[in-house]
Amino acid sequence: MQDNRISEAVIHRLPKYYRYLSELEALGIERVSSSRMSSEMSLNASQIRRDLNCFGGFGQQGYGYQVSRLKQEIMKILGIGTSYKVVIVGAGNIGQALLKYKHFSDEGYHIAAVFDADDQLVARNVGGLFIRPMNELKGFVANNKVDIGIIAVPKQHAQKLADELVSLGVRGIWNFAPVDVEVRRGVSVENVHLSDSLYVLSYHMRENIEND
C-alpha cells in the first residue's frame, strides 16, 4: 500500500500507532478517538487523522476508530504477520542481542541463521542457533529464499556484504553497521544508527539545562 505520495515521516509513525493500539487491545479497549490518541501519544489529532487517511478511511465521525480493526489494518500496511526468513551477518554484541530477542518471531520475522568471520565465535550456540562461518553464507541464502539480511559487521565490510546479499535475492537489508549502505532499486534498506537517538537525547538535555 505504500507509494511515492506517502512521506517517510508518516511511515515512521506507523509503528508508534501499532504499538499504541496493541496496548489498548491488551487492555480490552474497543474503540478510541483521535483526540484520545493525540493526548496519549503526544501527537496532533489532525496529524493522526491525516496519517491514517493516507491509507484509507478507518474511522467514523463521532465514533472514532475500532481498535482491533485499525490495528489489523496497520499490520497489513507494515507487513507484520507476513512470514519473513531472516539471516544475521555479524555475531558480535549487536548481532547476539538481536538473535536473543524472541519477540521478532512473534511478529513473523524468523531468524534462520547467523554468520560470522571470527573462528572463535563459529559453532557457538547463541539464542538456540549455532553461529556459522562466512563461507556458508552464499549457499545458505541461495538455498533458503532469505527475505531479510541483518548486517552487524564493521563498517568497512558493510557495503560489500549488502551487495552480496542483494545479488543472492535478499529483498530487504537492516543495516546496523555505522555507515549507510546503498542498494539497487526494488530492494529496501533501513540504515540504523544507534548513536543518533542518544545524540538527540543529549541535545534535548542540553536545551533543558540552558532553559532552566
Side-chain angles (χ1 to χ4, degrees):
M1 298 184 68
Q2 176 184 337
D3 61 42
N4 293 331
R5 293 171 296 174
I6 299 169
S7 73
E8 286 295 316
V10 172
I11 295 167
H12 279 83
R13 282 193 289 270
L14 290 177
K16 187 172 183 178
Y17 295 137
Y18 172 69
R19 291 193 303 270
Y20 173 75
L21 293 164
S22 296
E23 292 171 1
L24 293 186
E25 189 176 57
L27 293 172
I29 296 171
E30 296 182 358
R31 65 187 178 95
V32 63
S33 66
S34 58
S35 60
R36 175 173 176 176
M37 292 176 70
S38 171
S39 174
E40 296 181 348
M41 299 180 69
S42 299
L43 292 172
N44 184 280
S46 61
Q47 179 69 71
I48 292 171
R49 291 191 293 270
R50 286 197 300 270
D51 286 353
L52 298 178
N53 284 339
C54 288
F55 303 95
F58 303 124
Q60 299 177 21
Q61 189 171 5
Y63 178 86
Y65 300 98
Q66 186 179 355
V67 171
S68 59
R69 176 176 175 244
L70 182 56
K71 177 192 168 187
Q72 289 298 317
E73 293 292 343
I74 291 177
M75 285 180 68
K76 290 178 185 177
I77 294 166
L78 291 172
I80 298 172
T82 302
S83 183
Y84 297 102
K85 187 171 289 187
V86 182
V87 297
I88 297 176
V89 186
N93 292 333
I94 292 176
Q96 291 192 33
L98 294 171
L99 190 57
K100 293 175 182 177
Y101 184 63
K102 299 303 181 184
H103 189 58
F104 287 141
S105 60
D106 296 338
E107 309 226 327
Y109 303 95
H110 304 290
I111 299 174
V114 56
F115 301 85
D116 201 278
D118 187 344
D119 290 339
Q120 294 185 353
L121 292 175
V122 170
R124 184 179 299 179
N125 188 319
V126 179
L129 288 176
F130 290 98
I131 299 171
R132 297 168 178 255
M134 287 296 294
N135 60 16
E136 293 184 8
L137 175 65
K138 183 175 181 179
F140 184 92
V141 174
N143 293 324
N144 286 276
K145 296 182 179 179
V146 172
D147 302 295
I148 298 172
I150 299 177
I151 296 176
V153 300
K155 65 180 182 180
Q156 63 267 30
H157 304 300
Q159 185 62 59
K160 181 179 179 181
L161 180 56
D163 293 342
E164 181 177 3
L165 290 169
V166 170
S167 72
L168 292 169
V170 173
R171 298 180 294 116
I173 301 293
W174 199 20
N175 173 42
F176 284 85
V179 62
D180 286 352
V181 299
E182 298 180 354
V183 295
R184 63 171 173 77
R185 189 183 179 120
V187 177
S188 300
V189 62
E190 186 73 13
N191 292 299
V192 180
H193 296 282
L194 296 176
S195 58
D196 285 6
S197 182
L198 187 59
Y199 298 156
V200 172
L201 175 63
S202 64
Y203 167 83
H204 287 301
M205 291 173 65
R206 181 185 60 79
E207 286 287 291
N208 288 335
I209 292 171
E210 291 182 356
N211 292 328
D212 281 345

